């Protein structure tokens, strides 16, 4: 059931923090030193633990929308050997008006996650809520598992799941974007034209997010003359319909982050 009190969100807003250069470099170093091999045949299956926070009247998500959301995640990641599944019997629905309007970094977020999370090493804790301040969502980074494991997961605005009211953010792409962070990706516009941007070689650096449905033939703030901002990249800010791709180097980063921080999702090869 869609929300009655939904207030239209005009442009994508993600509250995932910009990690510091120190954190990014430390993670890059860990990934570089990764001893376990990630080959083309390495596959991961991620178990999604849906936790729907409601305020009694608003925030309930139907089974059909959960199925569609998981299909959208699979559509984005499965060609790279990363698949998602969930168990309908394990879905949690929790009624708490205070948590329903939680903000990023709030006490409500900490309380809710502390009480509701499932083992983050074995599940993607996928929270939905109404959120505050026009946010579509946020996520934690994989290295935060160490020391802050209860907060691990993604938080996504309920109406952004497929079939919700958050048009043009109603196709479930917000979850793909947040899961991208949760698997170690940064915004393509991170650090603008300074430093190493998003630390991914094949996404052109750009100065600011792109919004709406920008013309892909325009530079749109790309830092290098002749390059174009990646307006179809899931880690940019365009409308859902416009975000359709990851790059090869992003996927290499994601798969190595999975191996480094979330090995429980590794699909064990069967012995013959
Ligand atoms: Zn983001």
């Amino acid at each position: 059931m869609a929300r009655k009190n939904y207030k239209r969100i005009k442009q994508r807003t993600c509250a995932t923090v910009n990690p510091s250069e120190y954190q990014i470099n430390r993670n890059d170093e860990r990934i570089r030193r990764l001893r376990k091999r990630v080959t083309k045949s390495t596959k991961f299956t991620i178990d999604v633990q849906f936790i729907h926070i409601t305020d009694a009247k608003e925030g309930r998500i139907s089974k059909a929308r959960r199925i569609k959301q998981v299909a959208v995640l699979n559509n984005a990641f499965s060609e790279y050997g990363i698949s998602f599944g969930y168990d309908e019997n394990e879905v949690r629905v929790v009624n708490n008006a205070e948590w329903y309007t939680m903000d990023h970094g709030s006490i409500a977020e900490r309380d809710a996650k502390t009480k509701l999370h499932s083992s983050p090493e074995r599940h993607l804790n996928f929270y939905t809520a109404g959120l505050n301040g026009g946010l579509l969502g946020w996520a934690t980074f994989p290295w935060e598992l160490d020391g802050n494991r209860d907060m691990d997961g993604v938080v996504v605005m309920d109406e952004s799941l497929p079939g919700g009211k958050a048009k043009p953010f109603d196709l479930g792409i917000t979850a793909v974007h947040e899961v991208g962070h949760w698997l170690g990706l940064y915004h393509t516009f991170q650090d603008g034209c300074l430093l190493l941007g998003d630390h991914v070689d094949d996404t052109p650096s750009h100065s600011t997010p792109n919004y709406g449905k920008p013309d892909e033939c325009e530079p749109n703030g790309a830092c290098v003359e002749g390059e174009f901002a990646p307006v179809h990249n899931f880690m940019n800010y365009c409308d859902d319909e416009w975000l359709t791709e990851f790059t090869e180097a992003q996927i290499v980063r994601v798969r190595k982050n999975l191996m480094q921080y979330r090995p429980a999702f590794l699909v064990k090869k069967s012995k013959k």
Side-chain angles (χ1 to χ4, degrees):
M1 210 163 50
R3 257 159 71 182
K4 289 202 179 90
N5 69 352
Y6 174 69
K7 197 163 161 249
R8 192 168 90 84
I9 290 179
K10 295 198 182 86
Q11 60 182 34
R12 186 178 300 281
T13 41
C14 160
T16 303
V17 294
N18 254 16
S20 68
E21 271 301 287
Y22 171 76
Q23 286 169 318
I24 294 174
N25 289 335
R26 193 174 59 168
N27 187 49
D28 283 354
E29 185 60 20
R30 279 185 193 155
I31 298 299
R32 200 177 62 72
R33 289 186 183 186
L34 187 64
R35 284 175 190 272
K36 293 176 212 146
R37 277 166 57 83
V38 184
T39 66
K40 284 211 166 106
S41 66
T42 307
K43 298 212 178 330
F44 300 91
T45 298
I46 295 172
D47 182 54
V48 180
Q49 170 66 61
F50 281 109
I51 303 164
H52 303 305
I53 300 171
T54 70
D55 80 342
K57 292 196 196 97
E58 315 273 28
R60 298 187 84 88
I61 305 283
S62 68
K63 178 181 174 184
R65 290 177 67 200
R66 277 188 288 279
I67 290 172
K68 279 188 193 155
Q69 180 63 79
V70 171
V72 171
L73 286 166
N74 278 319
N75 195 37
F77 287 99
S78 65
E79 66 181 291
Y80 308 113
I82 301 162
S83 58
F84 295 79
Y86 87 102
D87 182 347
E88 182 65 24
N89 294 321
E90 297 292 327
V91 172
R92 299 186 66 184
V93 180
V94 181
N95 180 24
N96 185 312
E98 202 177 318
W99 293 349
Y100 183 68
T101 56
M102 69 184 179
D103 207 344
H104 176 252
S106 62
I107 292 169
E109 181 196 10
R110 179 158 290 278
D111 282 352
K113 286 181 164 181
T114 302
K115 294 211 171 66
L116 303 177
H117 75 279
S118 293
S119 165
E121 291 82 8
R122 301 191 173 278
H123 306 279
L124 160 57
N125 282 283
F126 188 121
Y127 301 87
T128 65
L131 309 188
N132 239 345
L135 285 173
L136 279 171
W138 63 84
T140 54
F141 290 110
W143 64 78
E144 293 178 79
L145 253 181
D146 183 14
N148 206 8
R149 65 187 289 284
D150 291 3
M151 294 297 106
D152 190 75
V154 299
V155 179
V156 172
M157 202 267 280
D158 49 11
E159 293 297 333
S160 77
L161 269 69
K165 275 189 175 173
K167 204 172 170 60
F169 311 108
D170 57 342
L171 303 178
I173 300 300
T174 296
V176 175
H177 175 108
E178 298 308 337
V179 168
H181 288 309
W182 182 75
L183 294 173
L185 297 180
Y186 315 123
H187 291 132
T188 52
F189 50 86
Q190 166 147 308
D191 291 331
C193 297
L194 301 169
L195 305 167
L196 290 173
D198 66 354
H199 288 233
V200 171
D201 288 342
D202 58 3
T203 56
S205 304
H206 55 123
S207 54
T208 51
N210 298 108
Y211 295 105
K213 296 180 178 56
D215 185 342
E216 54 202 298
C217 300
E218 293 291 323
N220 291 311
C223 301
V224 176
E225 208 181 318
E227 286 190 349
F228 302 104
V231 295
H232 294 298
N233 196 285
F234 285 120
M235 302 316 289
N236 202 340
Y237 266 7
C238 304
D239 292 351
D240 273 16
E241 195 188 331
W242 226 237
L243 300 186
T244 54
E245 62 193 27
F246 289 115
T247 64
E248 259 179 58
Q250 282 177 317
I251 292 299
V252 167
R253 171 185 282 273
V254 158
R255 288 166 56 78
K256 287 186 173 176
N257 269 279
L258 269 165
M259 188 63 104
Q260 170 78 24
Y261 297 103
R262 307 189 191 276
F265 295 128
L266 187 63
V267 177
K268 299 272 186 311
K269 286 177 195 137
S270 57
K271 291 195 180 95
K272 286 181 186 163

